[in-house]
């Protein structure tokens, strides 16, 4: 609900194909976090990261070519963005996530991931003057509240 309020238009409760793909993606990410947490404690972080990225790269190539897209086309004007996205947003980020999941639980990792849309909204507000609005503030607050609530340890009666 928080994510919907943060990112939605607030005009209706309608869902489209992109919303369904986002829902499916969130399930895949949850499975990824669970299995990364399981295997990161037993295997070399760099090898595990290499396998993860290699499998995704191979599957992406297969899907791109099977749908008629040329995945290996080169566009020189995006070289710098490609370098940043490959090195920092992918290789570095996956290495850090995999390495840190040796020490924290999958549920704590998922909670950290929940902050991504909140940080994105805050950055958009300050960097590109995007308007958040009341629904966005309530949505961000619900995400933060959900994170805090899930970390509270209750004593059994």
């Amino acid at each position: 609900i928080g994510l919907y309020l943060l990112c939605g238009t607030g005009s209706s409760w309608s869902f489209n194909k992109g919303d369904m793909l986002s829902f499916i993606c969130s399930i895949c990410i949850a499975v990824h976090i669970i299995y990364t947490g399981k295997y990161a404690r037993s295997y070399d972080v760099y090898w595990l990261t290499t396998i993860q990225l290699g499998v995704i790269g191979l599957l992406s190539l297969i899907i791109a070519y099977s749908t008629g897209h040329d995945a290996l086309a080169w566009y020189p004007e995006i070289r710098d963005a490609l370098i940043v996205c490959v090195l920092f947003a992918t290789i570095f980020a996956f290495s850090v996530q995999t390495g840190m999941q040796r020490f924290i639980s999958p549920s704590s990792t998922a909670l950290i991931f929940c902050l991504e849309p909140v940080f994105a909204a805050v950055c958009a507000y300050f960097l590109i003057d995007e308007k958040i609005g009341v629904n966005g503030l309530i949505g961000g607050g619900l995400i933060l509240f959900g994170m805090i609530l899930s970390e509270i340890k209750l004593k059994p009666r």
Side-chain angles (χ1 to χ4, degrees):
I1 293 171
L3 183 60
Y4 182 82
L5 290 173
L6 181 63
C7 300
T9 60
S11 61
S12 68
W13 287 92
S14 63
F15 295 95
N16 58 36
K17 181 181 175 182
D19 295 328
M20 187 52 66
L21 290 173
S22 295
F23 178 71
I24 292 169
C25 183
S26 67
I27 292 170
C28 292
I29 289 172
V31 170
H32 171 255
I33 289 171
I34 290 167
Y35 279 104
T36 299
K38 177 180 178 181
Y39 292 111
R41 289 175 177 81
S42 306
Y43 295 97
D44 180 61
V45 170
Y46 301 110
W47 182 240
L48 189 55
T49 302
T50 302
I51 300 241
Q52 291 178 71
L53 296 178
V55 168
I56 290 299
L58 183 62
L59 290 175
S60 296
L61 280 174
I62 291 169
I63 291 170
Y65 281 114
S66 69
T67 57
H69 295 89
D70 184 13
L72 298 177
W74 176 249
Y75 301 98
E77 61 272 12
I78 65 165
R79 182 197 69 220
D80 294 342
L82 189 63
I83 290 170
V84 169
C85 287
V86 167
L87 293 180
F88 299 107
T90 304
I91 295 172
F92 177 72
F94 268 79
S95 298
V96 169
Q97 177 194 345
T98 304
M100 292 301 104
Q101 279 199 252
R102 291 183 300 179
F103 308 111
I104 62 174
S105 69
S107 59
S108 294
T109 303
L111 289 174
I112 293 167
F113 273 73
C114 286
L115 276 178
E116 180 183 0
V118 176
F119 284 127
V122 169
C123 287
Y125 177 80
F126 285 110
L127 297 176
I128 61 174
D129 200 32
E130 185 172 304
K131 304 299 178 223
I132 294 177
V134 175
N135 282 350
L137 292 173
I138 292 170
L142 285 173
I143 292 171
L144 293 173
F145 178 72
M147 290 182 63
I148 292 168
L149 188 64
S150 67
E151 286 295 307
I152 293 175
K153 308 284 190 239
L154 297 176
K155 294 181 181 179
R157 291 183 178 186

